[in-house]
Amino acid sequence: MATITATQHHHHPTSLEEVRTLWIGDLQFWVDESYLNSCFAHTGELVSIKIIRNKITGQPEGYGFVEFVSHKAAERILQTYNGTTMPGTDQMFRLNWASFGIGERRTDPGLEHSIFVGDLAPDVTDYLLQETFRAHYPSVRGAKVVTDPNTGRSKGYGFVKFADDMERNRAMTEMNGVYCSTRAMRISAATPKKTTAGFQQQYAVTKGHSFP
């Protein structure tokens, strides 16, 4: 058992080029491993599927991971399937590299390497947003378009994560107003939610006091 743990630890990808696992999200409650297996098994390059479930209720959390034999195989699936209709549903496949968020707890202290991207066109996917930035900045780790949990539609904004702080800073200036799909992007610093909420609460309390 110790050997398996060690192997998994050493297999931890150090760059996007080594990642061969895709994140799949916005899954309906009935989607299970066998359904996803039927979607991807015919490629002959599928290694494993894992749907993340709640530890207490056992109910699916709406996302999972699909591993393929190689990075190239995973990239082919990402480009072919992302944004296409899932068999037997009216829902689209939502795929991204599993590197987004992998090992963040030990390598990244927070959101300081992320940027906020607004005014996104409805058709912009995680992958398109990521590739728009990766073309200019090699340290891009991933991108996430925020969607409505009920409809699965884009809310028109997202986040791009960088490994290099200098590239993040450059992107904030250089990519502001650049087109992604049919709209010019509006870029600003990503603010951690807790800090924002704390500041607003503190400000509201201060504002409520009357000082002499």
Side-chain angles (χ1 to χ4, degrees):
M1 206 160 149
T3 317
I4 295 170
T5 311
T7 311
Q8 285 176 341
H9 177 73
H10 288 304
H11 180 65
H12 184 85
T14 54
S15 71
L16 188 63
E17 283 63 37
E18 291 179 32
V19 178
R20 49 193 175 89
T21 303
L22 297 179
W23 171 91
I24 182 164
D26 293 343
L27 298 176
Q28 295 184 34
F29 70 94
W30 54 265
V31 171
D32 57 12
E33 280 85 356
S34 60
Y35 170 81
L36 291 180
N37 188 64
S38 69
C39 295
F40 301 116
H42 68 276
T43 63
E45 298 175 311
L46 182 64
V47 174
S48 67
I49 296 169
K50 182 174 178 63
I51 288 179
I52 305 303
R53 291 178 170 79
N54 186 293
K55 287 176 183 173
I56 298 165
T57 64
Q59 294 299 310
E61 293 280 7
Y63 71 97
F65 298 95
V66 186
E67 186 185 354
F68 295 91
V69 292
S70 66
H71 176 82
K72 282 196 178 303
E75 188 166 36
R76 248 194 323 274
I77 296 294
L78 180 59
Q79 290 174 343
T80 308
Y81 284 83
N82 195 31
T84 63
T85 308
M86 297 175 78
T89 76
D90 56 0
Q91 198 169 343
M92 305 291 183
F93 275 107
R94 181 144 188 239
L95 299 162
N96 199 1
W97 290 110
S99 61
F100 189 81
I102 281 184
E104 292 304 311
R105 265 171 285 185
R106 60 185 179 81
T107 58
D108 191 357
L111 280 173
E112 76 264 25
H113 292 121
S114 293
I115 58 172
F116 169 90
V117 185
D119 293 345
L120 293 176
D123 63 331
V124 173
T125 60
D126 297 346
Y127 184 68
L128 177 59
L129 183 61
Q130 172 187 285
E131 293 305 300
T132 301
F133 281 86
R134 268 192 83 207
H136 304 279
Y137 312 103
S139 80
V140 167
R141 278 190 189 170
K144 184 101 174 136
V145 175
V146 178
T147 56
D148 184 303
N150 299 318
T151 64
R153 292 197 181 106
S154 167
K155 287 190 170 185
Y157 66 91
F159 299 91
V160 181
K161 189 168 284 192
F162 296 78
D164 185 286
D165 200 34
M166 296 286 286
E167 286 194 0
R168 191 280 305 257
N169 292 338
R170 274 180 46 219
M172 283 183 66
T173 310
E174 295 169 359
M175 298 297 281
N176 198 34
V178 171
Y179 274 74
C180 181
S181 183
T182 56
R183 287 188 197 166
M185 296 180 288
R186 178 174 52 85
I187 297 173
S188 60
T191 313
K193 281 183 183 173
K194 285 178 185 171
T195 310
T196 311
F199 173 77
Q200 284 172 343
Q201 192 177 9
Q202 189 180 13
Y203 178 71
V205 171
T206 310
K207 199 176 171 188
H209 280 77
S210 53
F211 294 100

